[in-house]
Amino acid sequence: MRAAARLERLRDLMAQQGIDAFLCRSTTDLQWLTGFEGVFDSEQAHTALVTAQQAVIHTDSRYSTAMAAAAQGEGLWSVDAQPASPAAFAARVLGEAGLQGAAVAIDDTTPLKLYRAYCRELPQARLLERSGDVLALRQVKEPAEVEATRAAQAVAQAAFLETLEGLRPGQTESEVSLALEFALRSRGAQELAFANIVASGPNSANPHAVPGTRALQAGDMVVVDFGARVDGYRSDTTRTLCIGRPSARQQAVFDAVRHANEEVQKRLRAGVTGIEMHKLAEEVLAAEGFGGMMGHGLGHGVGLDIHEEPCLNLRNSQPLPAGAVVTVEPGVYIPGELGVRLEDFGLVGEDGFESFCTLTHELIVV
């Protein structure tokens, strides 16, 4: 009855915040709220409306049969496939329930065009701008979610090790990325968790570099960032390789990043804040001569989306909850020269952090 518990949590929030009706359009939020499996794809084609008495999801003929079958499982959701815009659907359901003047929550990611449609179709309603309510509820992972994430990591690790066996100087970044994608899919990934990053030499200094035609060369540092999606849940790992024996400078950069990663993992637990963990990583890097060279947040939540709450960055002053799944990914990037990132992810617990990643923390020399 996981969907029942999730709906109850949302309704509790609604009651606390004075919300009569909650409109939701994020596909992954809907996947989480409903618990429907084998229904959703990447298209944002659905709108849910939740009140104290109803949970109705609007869709179209492409999804209605599968969605109706999924809804029968727990009997919590009504499926509405009548042709209508999201705003017209909301107006009809609220009107039928006598809630024309309701306080209706809409997310602050709602497109302006849709917001204007809500204003036209719901003239008596009080529209309440909300931000990430369901995403916040998703921070604490249920046991089944944790296991799906572990499974995604197992697939990703096996695929990475397989790719590493065949990696040779002279291959292009794109060729390595393609080999990694094949290994991920052949080992059971539904899809990539995100577009692979394979960045060599000076390209490794770009944290989100796109694999290109540059060939791996002796002396290169190579950042490989990858993940699998399994049972809807994602993994996220980065390892840095060196083509040939590293120079003293390359090793020093890597050692600093490794030290930052491991110090954070020692301190990471429920109750610490994202700011504290980010600052700790920055302090370690600065102490080893690489202050101000990370440039991005230390980490982020992972689940149905590759970037979820909570974040480990300078904007998150909230205590991390037990049950969150987060990344720890410090990096150093020296433009035109090299980049290093070492990323694990795992479960935040009351007494510490459990990494799902068992790949080596040593610099991998090819």
Side-chain angles (χ1 to χ4, degrees), residues 153-278:
Q153 177 62 19
V155 167
Q157 289 192 175
F160 174 73
L161 292 173
E162 177 184 327
T163 305
L164 195 59
E165 289 178 0
L167 194 147
R168 299 289 184 274
Q171 289 177 305
T172 67
E173 295 168 343
S174 292
E175 287 170 342
V176 175
S177 178
L178 184 60
L180 180 54
E181 178 172 356
F182 181 82
L184 285 162
R185 291 183 181 275
S186 64
R187 288 181 173 274
Q190 293 169 293
E191 61 182 6
L192 304 187
F194 51 91
N196 292 331
I197 296 172
V198 179
S200 63
N203 294 340
S204 63
N206 302 322
H208 273 208
V210 176
T213 58
R214 187 183 186 281
L216 276 58
Q217 305 169 20
D220 280 352
M221 297 294 265
V222 184
V223 173
V224 184
D225 194 344
F226 59 97
R229 179 172 174 262
V230 175
D231 292 332
Y233 286 80
R234 301 172 192 265
S235 68
D236 193 358
T237 305
T238 305
R239 287 297 182 267
T240 299
L241 324 176
C242 188
I243 307 300
R245 185 181 299 276
S247 68
R249 178 169 171 78
Q250 288 172 327
Q251 189 67 57
V253 175
F254 182 86
D255 289 345
V257 171
R258 176 180 178 177
H259 188 193
N261 177 297
E262 293 176 353
E263 284 301 307
V264 168
Q265 290 198 41
K266 289 176 185 176
R267 294 269 300 276
L268 185 55
R269 66 194 64 241
V272 301
T273 68
I275 290 176
E276 291 170 341
M277 295 299 96
H278 180 95

Side-chain angles (χ1 to χ4, degrees), residues 11 86 148 197 264 295 308 348 360:
R11 284 173 169 147
I197 296 172
V264 168
E308 295 190 356
V348 177
T360 181

Side-chain angles (χ1 to χ4, degrees), residues 4 9 14 78 91 100 123 146 152 159 175 222 237-238 292 309 311-312 320 362:
R9 290 172 63 191
M14 291 167 60
S78 300
Q100 294 91 332
V146 173
E175 287 170 342
V222 184
T237 305
T238 305
E309 299 295 334
C311 289
L312 279 60
L320 301 180
E362 298 289 341

Side-chain angles (χ1 to χ4, degrees), residues 81-162:
Q82 295 184 45
S85 68
F89 153 73
R92 173 166 47 80
V93 174
L94 290 173
E96 291 170 353
L99 294 173
Q100 294 91 332
V104 181
I106 59 171
D107 195 82
D108 60 4
T109 59
T110 300
L112 178 59
K113 183 177 180 180
L114 179 54
Y115 170 74
R116 288 173 173 165
Y118 284 146
C119 291
R120 288 194 305 271
E121 297 284 350
L122 304 170
Q124 300 177 55
R126 182 162 55 95
L127 299 180
L128 305 177
E129 181 181 322
R130 304 289 301 179
S131 181
D133 285 324
V134 178
L135 194 60
L137 295 177
R138 288 165 48 189
Q139 287 189 87
V140 176
K141 301 298 188 279
E142 300 159 1
E145 293 180 288
V146 173
E147 290 312 306
T149 310
R150 289 184 196 275
Q153 177 62 19
V155 167
Q157 289 192 175
F160 174 73
L161 292 173
E162 177 184 327

